[in-house]
């Protein structure tokens, strides 16, 4: 009995001590959250920074872009993260939430690009696709070839989509809707493909009264109405078919690579870094005449690529030790330069002028202003 | 009926009865064999995938600790990267082109410069001397050496180019490449470079977490079990409590993670990613299990022992503490260890409290950021680098070893203490 | 009832149907016939019980039992299975408290103090009224610790030497000393059944009780071990008051001075043992001791 009482008391004391310690003391490491796409790059920088300086290695959590910004904007203080990574730009609503929670000054840093690739096994022939092909193959509803009205996706093989493509079943492995990669894919590839149809493109630009006639023309039911045509357009372009042609393969991109090997007829959607690391097993498909290569993504010719960002709380820079050093490490040429180690990890560097601009912003801690 | 003797009837039905029995046994046996096959398949695939992670390629490079590159006064901040590059250039003097140089530098792990730095820090007298040093090879070289990269593929299709393979072959011929036991895997924290990634950080995180879980859940769980079993009045309220405990034991662990997020992080403002919070969450998760197994253990103590103690005038508490509890202890320990083993393998609730994170530094206390073994496995499984595949399997092996050890301890404790003298 | 009948079955097959019906009828006690025959009351009793009723939930297990137990006597309680004799025995040191649904009314006194008084502390009560159970139940500890446990928790020995002395005396009194003196540190559970039961008796003696309750102490033992225990009981009665529940009528006849006959919760007869077994006052007692039912 005595022993037990003692151990309970010890436990209580430890817990109590820990609580007081954290409340009273400051954090001595940088806390980073955010996008799983930026995660491999942020962790590499964090590790380099931690090992080459006397500071603690920053802690990097992979929470997804949205989750990261939510945590980031929840407040100022040691219990909130200092930096969040994002595979898209901060939204106005998120920015406003930050402002409302007392985070007045946010520094935006663009770090480079990430390409999303469609790839298949090396065992089969490489594919040459256009964004239109991708849209037609994967959208839930596509414009009918004759009437132009939206119908449930009738295509079963790639050849039906585009006669120049091989006669194999459409089978695409990709991330689930919760993934940032999926969002980016929908935005960059699917929207791009949808816009090749004149009516769809018009719908995207339409506002107010112009929306309804276009909807009737495309055969979209009234219930989908929004006075911003873009919303209606996005709803259609982002809807991916659910009849088995698109297979959700989970967030683990390694798994998709493995499945592609097992099934050479299927295509997979994942980040460029996974293609880069597994080039002996899978090959990227050409999209709109451009191969997913380092150069193609860097100069913007490969269409399915997106910028990567991170955001820093200015108020934390002077409080948490190591933020300045981490920023300096990330924006140094040996990290994000063309020959830098982040390029080795699969990140596509920005052109030199852009790098110079963001490096200068970081140095001056210029806050972001969103109108 | 008829005039058969009863024994004849029995005899007639006997064959059928034995047949049924045999069939039943066979079904049971095949079920065991079936599940064993899966187990063997699982273990062998993990082992075959992972055993190569326990050794690691190294390259021997001649290094001149150039005083021009190393500031004697402050060697820590010197550019050791340049030193590695310079040494590589001296080893392969005919590499001149910029692009080729970059490939050459890629042979040695980025950790190589830290290795040299540690050497100089340990022995500053090295500056100005020549040394032949074994440096960690890059993960791509390691993968090539282990046969994961097919040399016959066209150059563009593999991570390692023809020139690099040429250099490596040269190094092999000169006896400058060797495999050694991958001690770093057991002594390092996480890393983005597979060759220097280790499991210790995660293991320590798991250790702190489990320590907190055990310190809290064992005494509290057993106290609750004793109270409910021996002292609480048997009425509606205890019934409700019992039902709730049983329900809690079946609640999915992610729910405890959400609870931890709401209570420990958002309300008590405990630090994110800390083993303290992880331990508290796992404590809540294992508590019902420990209470339930504790009660079962108490119930299994024969009432005659209680009567014997009460009969000589022991108070109820004395009877429980002196006689019932010692007899129930093996069962309780088994329950606690199985609960701990479950907690060790848990990753879902840790996601919610920020323990799924990249953490290089090995946690030194319960409030330092840390991750846990299953989380480390998840993170490595999700990494693009090929070399992490084998490390994932190796980490699974480490986790399985811990689980086997813990369950083995449970079995041992039971057999050791269970005999009634 | 059913239990009695079923235990009766093997024998009854030998009897005629008529006899069976008769014996069944005899077991049902008339209301008027319930009052205890013989001489349940004595002068200067150690324990006295008046109008004791025991209920398990709604079921009444003991009905209106009144009996005295005098100093240094062996009182045997006999009766068919389920007649409530063990229940009544366990009332005498409140072992029934461990059963939640058990309720006791009436007056039970040890000397002059009420056993079921709210102020009565069961711990000293059980030290004064020790108990030996049906199945030997030594603690899974050494022989020494088994005996020493009671004195230790009550603080009866100031020093280790005193404690060892108590252990030795208790074992000698229980007639076990010669058999175990060389292996006091060995587990009590390693002894034979008869030895274990004597160990339990020694354990009860060690706390210096005034009354020892024995609940069928020999039912799990072979005849030789039984004989040893019976001898022991005869010796112990010089120092202790003993109440023994037994199924074995010969045993009751051998060890006890007085015998009480319980029947379906009623105490039907209490007499001097020789009187009860030779000239029972109650018809049912006679039926029982002559083996008409059991």
């Amino acid at each position: 009995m005595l022993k037990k009482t003692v151990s309970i008391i010890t436990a209580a004391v430890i817990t109590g001590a820990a609580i007081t310690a954290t409340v009273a003391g400051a954090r001595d490491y940088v806390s980073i959250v955010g996008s799983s796409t930026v995660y491999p790059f942020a962790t590499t920088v964090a590790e380099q920074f931690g090992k080459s300086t006397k500071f603690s290695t920053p802690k990097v959590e992979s929470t997804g872009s949205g989750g990261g910004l939510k945590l980031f904007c929840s407040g100022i203080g040691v219990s909130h993260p200092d930096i969040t990574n994002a595979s898209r730009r901060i939204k106005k609503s998120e920015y406003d939430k930050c402002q409302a929670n007392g985070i007045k000054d946010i520094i935006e840093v663009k770090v480079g690009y990430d390409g999303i690739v469609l790839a298949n096994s090396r065992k089969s022939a490489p594919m040459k696709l256009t964004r239109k092909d991708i849209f037609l193959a994967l959208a839930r509803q596509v414009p009918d070839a004759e009437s132009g009205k939206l119908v449930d996706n009738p295509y079963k093989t790639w050849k039906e989509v585009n006669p120049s493509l091989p006669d194999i079943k459409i089978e695409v492995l990709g991330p689930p809707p919760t993934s940032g990669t999926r969002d980016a894919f929908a935005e960059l590839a699917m929207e791009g493909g949808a816009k090749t149809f004149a009516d769809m493109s018009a719908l995207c630009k339409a506002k107010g009264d112009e929306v309804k006639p276009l909807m009737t023309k495309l055969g979209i039911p009234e219930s989908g109405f929004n006075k911003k045509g873009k919303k209606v357009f996005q709803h259609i372009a982002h809807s991916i078919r659910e009849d088995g042609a698109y297979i959700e393969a989970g967030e683990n991109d390694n798994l998709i690579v493995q499945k592609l090997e097992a099934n050479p007829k299927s295509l997979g959607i994942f980040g460029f870094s996974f293609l880069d690391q597994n080039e002996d097993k899978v090959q990227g498909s050409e999209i709109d005449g451009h191969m997913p290569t380092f150069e193609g993504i860097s100069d913007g010719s490969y269409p399915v690529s997106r910028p990567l960002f991170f955001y820093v709380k200015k108020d934390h820079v002077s409080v948490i030790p190591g933020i300045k050093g981490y920023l300096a490490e990330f924006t140094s040429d040996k990290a994000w330069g063309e020959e830098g180690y982040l390029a080795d990890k699969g990140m596509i560097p920005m052109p030199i002028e852009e790098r110079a601009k963001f490096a200068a912003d970081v140095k001056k801690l210029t806050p972001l202003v969103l109108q | 009926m008829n005039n058969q003797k009863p024994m004849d009837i029995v005899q007639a039905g006997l064959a059928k009865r034995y047949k049924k029995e045999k069939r039943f046994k066979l079904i049971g046996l095949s079920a065991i064999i079936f599940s064993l096959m899966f187990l063997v398949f699982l273990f062998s695939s993990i082992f075959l995938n992972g055993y190569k992670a326990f050794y690691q390629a190294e390259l021997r490079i001649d290094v001149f600790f150039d005083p021009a590159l190393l500031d004697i006064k402050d060697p820590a901040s010197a550019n050791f990267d340049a030193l590695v590059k310079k040494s590589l250039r001296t080893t392969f003097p005919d590499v001149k082109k910029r692009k080729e140089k970059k490939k050459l530098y890629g042979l040695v792990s980025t950790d190589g410069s830290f290795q040299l730095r540690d050497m100089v820090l340990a022995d500053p007298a090295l500056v100005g001397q020549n040394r032949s040093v074994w440096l960690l090879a890059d993960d791509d070289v390691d993968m090539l050496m282990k046969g994961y990269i097919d040399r016959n593929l066209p150059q563009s299709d593999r991570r390692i180019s023809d020139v690099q393979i040429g250099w490596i072959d040269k190094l092999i011929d000169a006896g400058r490449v060797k495999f050694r036991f991958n001690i770093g895997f057991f002594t390092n924290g996480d890393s983005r470079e597979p060759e220097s990634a280790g499991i210790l950080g995660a293991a320590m995180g798991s250790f702190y977490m489990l320590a907190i879980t055990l310190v809290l859940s064992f005494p509290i769980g057993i106290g609750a079990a004793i109270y409910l079993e021996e002292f609480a009045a048997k009425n509606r309220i205890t019934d409700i409590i019992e039902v709730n405990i049983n329900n809690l034991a079946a609640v999915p662990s992610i729910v405890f993670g959400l609870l931890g997020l709401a209570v420990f992080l958002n309300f008590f403002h405990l630090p994110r990613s800390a083993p303290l919070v992880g331990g508290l969450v796992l404590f809540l998760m294992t508590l019902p299990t420990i209470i339930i197994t504790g009660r079962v253990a108490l119930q299994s103590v024969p009432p005659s022992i209680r009567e014997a103690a009460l009969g000589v005038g022991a108070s109820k508490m004395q009877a429980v503490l002196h006689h019932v509890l010692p007899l129930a202890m093996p069962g309780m320990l088994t329950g606690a260890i199985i609960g701990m083993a479950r907690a060790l393998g848990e990753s879902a609730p840790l996601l919610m409290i920020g323990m799924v994170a990249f953490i290089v530094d090995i946690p030194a206390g319960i409030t330092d950021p840390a991750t846990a073994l299953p989380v480390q496995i998840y993170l490595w499984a999700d990494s693009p680098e090929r070399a992490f595949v084998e490390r994932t399997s190796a980490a699974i092996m480490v986790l399985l070893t811990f689980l086997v050890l813990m369950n083995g301890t449970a079995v041992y404790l039971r057999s050791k203490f269970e005999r009634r003298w | 009832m059913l239990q009695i009948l079923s235990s009766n079955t093997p024998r009854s097959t030998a009897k005629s149907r008529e006899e069976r019906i008769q014996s069944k009828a005899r077991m049902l006690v008339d209301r008027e016939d319930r009052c205890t025959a013989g001489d349940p009351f004595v002068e200067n009793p150690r324990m006295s019980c008046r109008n004791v009723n025991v209920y398990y939930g709604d079921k009444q297990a003991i009905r209106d039992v009144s009996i005295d137990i005098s100093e240094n006597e062996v009182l045997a309680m006999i009766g068919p299975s389920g007649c409530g004799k063990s229940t009544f025995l366990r009332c005498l040191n409140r072992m029934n408290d461990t059963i939640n649904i058990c309720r006791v009314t009436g007056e039970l006194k040890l000397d002059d103090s009420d056993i079921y008084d709210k102020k009565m502390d069961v711990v000293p009560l059980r030290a004064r009224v020790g108990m030996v159970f049906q199945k030997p139940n030594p603690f899974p500890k050494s022989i020494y610790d088994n005996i020493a446990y009671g004195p230790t928790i009550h603080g009866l020995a100031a020093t280790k030497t005193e404690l060892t002395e108590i252990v030795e005396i208790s074992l000698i009194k229980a007639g076990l000393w010669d058999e175990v003196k060389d292996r006091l540190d060995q587990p009590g559970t390693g002894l034979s059944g008869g030895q274990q039961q004597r160990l339990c008796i020694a354990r009860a003696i060690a706390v210096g009780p005034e009354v020892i309750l024995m609940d069928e102490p020999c039912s799990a033992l072979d005849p030789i071990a039984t004989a040893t225990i019976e001898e022991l009981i005869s010796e112990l009665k010089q120092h202790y008051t003993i109440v023994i529940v037994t199924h074995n009528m010969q045993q009751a006849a051998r060890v006890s001075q007085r015998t009480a006959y319980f029947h379906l919760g009623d105490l039907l007869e209490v007499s001097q043992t020789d009187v009860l077994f030779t000239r029972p006052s109650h018809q049912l007692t006679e039926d029982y001791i002559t083996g008409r039912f059991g």
Side-chain angles (χ1 to χ4, degrees):
Chain A
M1 194 59 201
L2 188 72
K3 262 190 213 161
K4 198 171 303 149
T5 327
V6 169
S7 54
I8 292 175
I9 291 169
T10 329
V13 168
I14 291 172
T15 322
I19 293 169
T20 21
T22 22
V23 173
R27 184 149 48 77
D28 67 340
Y29 57 89
V30 182
S31 172
I32 303 168
V33 295
S35 162
S36 54
T37 316
V38 189
Y39 173 83
F41 314 130
T43 47
T44 310
V45 176
E47 187 180 354
Q48 281 294 325
F49 167 69
K51 280 191 177 162
S52 55
T53 64
K54 60 184 193 305
F55 293 107
S56 299
T57 310
K59 177 193 80 180
V60 189
E61 273 182 69
S62 165
T63 60
S65 303
L69 279 160
K70 196 176 156 197
L71 285 166
F72 181 79
C73 291
S74 58
I76 287 258
V78 285
S79 57
H80 302 286
D82 312 311
I83 296 175
T84 186
N85 302 317
S87 55
R88 57 168 171 78
R89 234 183 149 201
I90 189 170
K91 286 180 193 160
K92 182 77 174 87
S93 58
E94 288 160 343
Y95 180 79
D96 291 343
K97 200 184 154 207
C98 268
Q99 298 291 327
N101 285 331
I103 308 153
K104 296 290 176 215
D105 294 333
I106 304 166
I107 304 146
E108 181 185 60
V109 187
K110 188 170 163 190
V111 291
Y113 296 95
D114 175 45
I116 295 165
V117 298
L118 266 99
N120 60 357
S121 166
R122 287 237 169 235
K123 290 173 203 155
S124 34
M127 299 277 276
K128 286 187 183 187
L129 301 166
T130 63
R131 275 182 285 177
K132 186 178 174 185
D133 298 338
I134 296 171
F135 173 74
L136 286 177
L138 294 179
R140 186 187 297 156
Q141 290 194 310
V142 293
D144 188 61
E146 282 153 27
S147 68
K149 283 200 193 284
L150 288 180
V151 290
D152 284 346
N153 197 328
Y155 303 113
K156 293 273 179 279
T157 67
W158 288 103
K159 201 178 176 68
E160 285 169 30
V161 170
N162 182 344
S164 68
L165 290 171
D167 187 15
I168 49 176
K169 218 175 121 199
I170 298 173
E171 225 178 324
V172 178
L173 299 152
T178 46
S179 157
T181 314
R182 164 84 169 258
D183 288 346
F185 177 75
E187 198 178 312
L188 299 165
M190 299 288 283
E191 280 190 27
K195 277 182 194 161
T196 56
F197 295 92
D199 289 341
M200 292 290 285
S201 182
L203 178 66
C204 181
K205 291 184 197 113
K207 276 201 182 100
D209 294 342
E210 306 155 28
V211 178
K212 275 233 167 110
L214 279 166
M215 282 174 67
T216 338
K217 201 171 168 197
L218 283 161
I220 306 168
E222 296 258 336
S223 57
F225 176 74
N226 190 306
K227 61 178 184 287
K228 282 184 189 156
K230 191 166 181 182
K231 293 265 177 207
V232 185
F233 167 79
Q234 276 180 341
H235 181 73
I236 293 160
H238 287 211
S239 296
I240 288 184
R241 63 199 292 189
E242 283 161 352
D243 55 359
Y246 182 87
I247 303 148
E248 283 176 12
E251 293 263 19
N252 189 332
D253 293 351
N254 269 333
L255 202 68
I256 300 184
V257 174
Q258 277 177 27
K259 284 184 178 167
L260 290 184
E261 274 218 295
N263 182 0
K265 282 187 180 157
S266 56
L267 266 80
I269 299 170
F270 42 80
F272 176 76
S273 53
F274 281 85
L275 177 69
D276 190 41
Q277 291 280 342
N278 294 286
E279 255 176 317
D280 55 339
K281 289 181 181 168
V282 290
Q283 60 196 354
S285 309
E286 193 184 288
I287 294 175
D288 291 349
H290 296 280
M291 283 299 286
T293 58
F294 233 86
E295 296 75 26
I297 295 168
S298 175
D299 63 20
S301 59
Y302 180 75
V304 193
S305 69
R306 58 177 165 174
L308 304 173
F309 299 90
F310 67 80
Y311 295 90
V312 189
K313 284 176 193 163
K314 191 176 177 182
D315 292 346
H316 280 202
V317 173
S318 53
V319 183
I320 307 286
I323 296 186
K324 248 189 185 143
Y326 175 78
L327 294 178
E329 175 77 29
F330 212 131
T331 54
S332 69
D333 248 18
K334 72 171 172 154
W336 74 354
E338 267 136 38
E339 306 273 292
Y341 55 75
L342 291 179
D344 290 344
K345 288 281 164 194
M347 190 188 81
I348 291 119
M350 295 181 287
I352 189 152
E353 311 81 48
E354 229 179 328
R355 290 208 301 273
K357 177 196 171 284
F358 280 104
D361 276 0
V362 166
K363 219 166 198 171
K364 283 183 278 178
L365 300 174
T366 319
L368 166 77
V369 184
L370 270 191
Q371 291 311 322
Chain B
M1 274 182 27
N2 46 29
N3 47 6
Q4 269 183 311
K5 282 187 201 153
M7 261 332 277
D8 292 338
I9 302 174
V10 171
Q11 287 289 354
L14 220 49
K16 205 174 159 191
R17 271 155 66 181
Y18 284 141
K19 220 171 166 179
K20 258 190 181 161
E21 193 173 314
K22 217 171 164 186
R23 204 179 315 140
F24 187 73
K25 270 205 253 171
L26 219 71
I27 291 171
L29 190 69
S30 48
I32 298 270
I33 291 174
F34 190 64
S35 40
L36 271 182
M37 259 164 46
F38 272 107
L39 206 65
V40 166
F41 177 75
L42 173 78
F43 283 158
S44 52
S45 81
I46 288 172
F47 179 76
L48 291 176
N49 264 326
Y51 76 97
K52 282 183 177 167
F54 294 116
Y55 54 89
Q56 165 76 40
E58 280 193 332
L59 307 175
R60 189 156 59 94
I61 308 289
D62 295 325
V63 180
F64 173 56
F65 289 90
D66 191 347
L69 284 169
L70 305 172
D71 183 357
I72 307 227
K73 281 179 204 128
D74 186 16
S77 62
N79 190 353
F80 285 93
D81 207 31
L83 189 64
V84 175
K85 287 177 179 169
K86 188 162 168 266
S87 308
L88 279 166
R89 283 201 303 272
T90 353
T91 317
F92 295 99
D94 44 339
V95 178
K96 291 276 187 274
K97 273 186 262 166
R98 207 174 114 71
K99 249 203 159 142
E100 291 216 326
K101 272 190 205 163
K102 188 164 188 274
K103 281 181 182 163
L104 179 65
Y105 302 152
L107 293 183
V108 171
S109 164
T110 45
D111 231 33
S113 55
F114 302 118
Q115 274 178 287
L116 291 183
R117 184 188 64 184
D118 292 345
M119 281 175 73
V120 173
L121 285 181
D123 180 13
L126 272 176
V127 178
Q129 294 192 30
N130 267 309
R131 277 281 190 290
S132 190
V133 184
W134 286 102
L135 292 178
L136 271 181
D138 190 66
D139 53 323
D140 289 330
V141 177
D142 189 46
M143 288 290 100
L144 179 81
M145 295 291 297
K146 286 174 182 170
Y148 286 119
I149 293 175
D150 187 355
R151 286 165 180 249
N152 300 324
L153 279 174
Q155 177 170 245
S156 61
D157 293 358
R158 48 180 144 80
R159 294 266 309 157
I160 206 156
S161 65
D162 289 344
V163 266
Q164 283 179 308
I165 291 183
W167 293 327
I168 292 165
D169 286 342
K170 244 186 226 167
L171 286 171
I172 293 172
D173 290 343
R176 284 171 174 271
V177 183
K178 71 161 184 191
F179 280 118
R180 62 151 180 122
F181 179 65
N182 188 359
I183 195 154
F185 184 73
F186 298 100
T187 55
N188 291 350
D190 196 5
S191 169
R192 282 313 304 174
E193 305 304 326
E195 64 271 18
S196 52
I199 196 90
L200 185 64
M204 287 309 284
S206 278
F207 170 76
Y208 287 128
M209 248 169 26
L210 287 193
I212 288 167
T213 308
L214 187 67
V215 162
L216 290 177
S217 66
F218 194 62
I220 295 179
I222 286 185
I226 291 174
Y227 179 79
L228 284 173
E229 199 52 47
E230 305 282 344
F231 296 100
K234 301 272 176 289
N235 56 26
R236 225 204 176 96
I237 296 171
T238 35
D239 282 351
I240 291 172
I241 290 174
E242 190 176 340
V243 167
N244 277 306
I245 288 172
N246 290 340
N247 279 340
L248 273 182
V251 165
S253 55
I254 186 89
V255 176
F256 288 100
L258 285 166
L259 179 82
L261 174 69
V263 175
F264 301 126
L265 295 190
N266 294 346
F267 186 72
F268 285 116
H269 295 291
L270 292 179
R272 247 181 108 78
S273 315
L276 172 67
V277 182
L280 288 170
V281 167
L282 294 179
F283 148 64
L284 292 178
M285 194 191 81
T286 43
L287 188 61
T289 318
I290 291 182
I291 295 177
I292 291 169
T293 50
R295 291 186 68 177
V296 170
L298 286 170
Q299 279 162 11
S300 70
V301 175
S304 66
I305 295 294
R306 285 185 191 87
E307 285 186 337
L310 294 175
V312 295
S315 68
K316 203 159 178 180
M317 198 183 86
Q318 284 172 326
V320 170
L321 289 186
H322 295 163
H323 300 288
V324 179
L325 194 58
L327 289 175
M329 206 36 109
M332 290 175 159
L333 280 175
T334 313
I337 289 173
I338 289 169
M340 288 298 117
R342 194 186 145 205
L344 175 65
E346 210 44 84
S347 62
L350 306 182
L351 193 77
M352 291 288 127
I353 53 169
M355 290 190 77
V356 179
F358 175 75
I359 289 150
V360 174
D361 299 339
I362 289 153
I366 53 171
T367 52
D368 282 358
T371 179
L373 281 172
V375 173
Q376 190 67 75
I377 291 167
Y378 165 76
L379 288 174
W380 283 350
D382 210 20
S383 299
E385 288 84 358
R386 180 81 60 80
F388 272 124
V389 174
E390 59 173 29
R391 257 143 244 268
T392 307
S393 292
I396 294 173
M397 276 191 257
V398 170
L399 181 66
L400 283 176
T401 312
F402 277 118
L403 287 174
V404 167
L405 280 179
M406 286 175 81
N407 288 330
T409 317
V411 171
Y412 172 75
L413 284 176
R414 195 165 44 200
S415 63
K416 180 154 194 270
F417 294 112
E418 199 157 52
R419 61 200 167 105
R420 293 276 146 80
W421 265 66
Chain C
M1 266 288 277
L2 271 173
Q3 214 177 345
I4 296 160
L5 280 174
S6 60
S7 69
N8 207 10
T9 330
R11 206 183 303 162
S12 53
T13 45
K15 293 179 186 171
S16 72
R17 189 164 171 271
E18 213 168 299
E19 264 177 313
R20 258 187 284 151
I21 293 166
Q22 267 183 359
S23 88
K24 194 176 162 190
R26 273 192 217 108
M27 293 197 313
L28 303 168
V29 187
D30 292 333
R31 288 213 163 268
E32 302 78 57
D33 221 7
R34 278 230 204 104
C35 60
T36 311
D39 46 354
F41 307 119
V42 297
E43 275 177 45
N44 302 326
R46 276 319 299 272
M47 300 187 85
S48 70
C49 315
R50 294 289 179 273
N51 311 102
V52 175
N53 290 287
V54 181
Y55 305 86
Y56 291 117
D58 297 336
K59 201 177 148 262
Q60 189 163 11
I62 296 282
R63 254 192 305 262
D64 212 17
V65 167
S66 300
I67 188 172
D68 283 345
I69 301 157
S70 68
E71 178 96 47
N72 291 6
E73 74 163 344
V74 178
L75 171 71
M77 302 204 284
I78 58 169
S81 301
C83 66
K85 52 194 191 301
S86 286
T87 302
F88 183 70
L89 186 78
R90 294 166 68 94
C91 290
L92 297 177
N93 69 345
R94 285 182 59 178
M95 279 305 274
N96 278 338
D97 286 11
T98 54
I99 301 159
N100 267 323
I101 53 167
C102 183
R103 193 160 54 84
V104 179
T105 64
E107 190 186 69
L108 287 119
K109 275 188 172 168
L110 174 63
D111 295 334
D112 283 325
S113 46
D114 186 355
I115 292 175
Y116 277 87
D117 190 70
K118 279 210 181 93
K119 285 184 202 127
M120 173 54 91
D121 189 344
V122 290
V123 169
L125 171 71
R126 286 178 191 151
R128 290 173 70 189
V129 184
M131 189 149 190
V132 177
F133 297 87
Q134 187 169 3
K135 218 180 121 222
N137 57 351
F139 299 129
K141 294 177 193 272
S142 71
I143 294 170
Y144 182 94
D145 289 342
N146 258 287
I147 317 264
Y149 180 69
T152 311
I153 56 171
H154 294 300
L156 299 182
T159 62
K160 176 89 181 153
T161 333
E162 271 182 58
L163 187 63
T164 311
E165 212 166 274
I166 293 176
V167 171
E168 186 177 338
I169 292 169
S170 307
L171 282 169
I172 291 170
K173 277 187 183 168
L176 195 61
W177 176 250
D178 290 335
E179 290 159 64
V180 301
K181 65 180 175 209
D182 302 327
R183 43 176 178 145
L184 290 178
D185 55 343
Q186 282 178 23
T189 42
L191 296 172
S192 75
Q195 287 174 324
Q196 285 191 19
Q197 195 61 296
R198 279 181 283 153
L199 181 67
C200 293
I201 294 173
R203 183 175 67 190
I205 294 171
V207 288
E210 294 148 32
V211 181
I212 301 175
L213 309 176
M214 297 187 178
D215 189 359
E216 301 186 34
C218 303
S219 63
L221 304 181
D222 64 68
I224 296 168
T226 305
T228 323
I229 302 273
E230 282 177 12
E231 265 170 51
L232 177 59
I233 293 170
S234 312
E235 273 169 43
L236 289 176
K237 74 172 180 222
Q238 291 160 23
H239 309 283
Y240 307 99
T241 302
I242 296 172
V243 184
I244 175 168
V245 164
T246 176
H247 249 114
N248 183 331
M249 279 176 281
Q250 283 77 22
Q251 186 171 64
R254 283 194 295 267
V255 301
S256 68
Q257 279 80 59
R258 285 201 303 154
T259 301
Y261 175 66
F262 279 79
H263 188 96
L264 296 178
D266 293 301
L267 176 59
L268 292 188
E269 181 168 358
V270 184
S271 302
Q272 293 299 312
T273 301
D274 50 349
V275 175
L276 187 124
F277 281 106
T278 49
R279 284 168 277 120
S281 329
H282 203 289
Q283 179 63 42
L284 282 167
T285 317
E286 192 183 339
D287 287 353
Y288 181 70
I289 60 174
T290 53
R292 297 259 172 84
F293 59 86

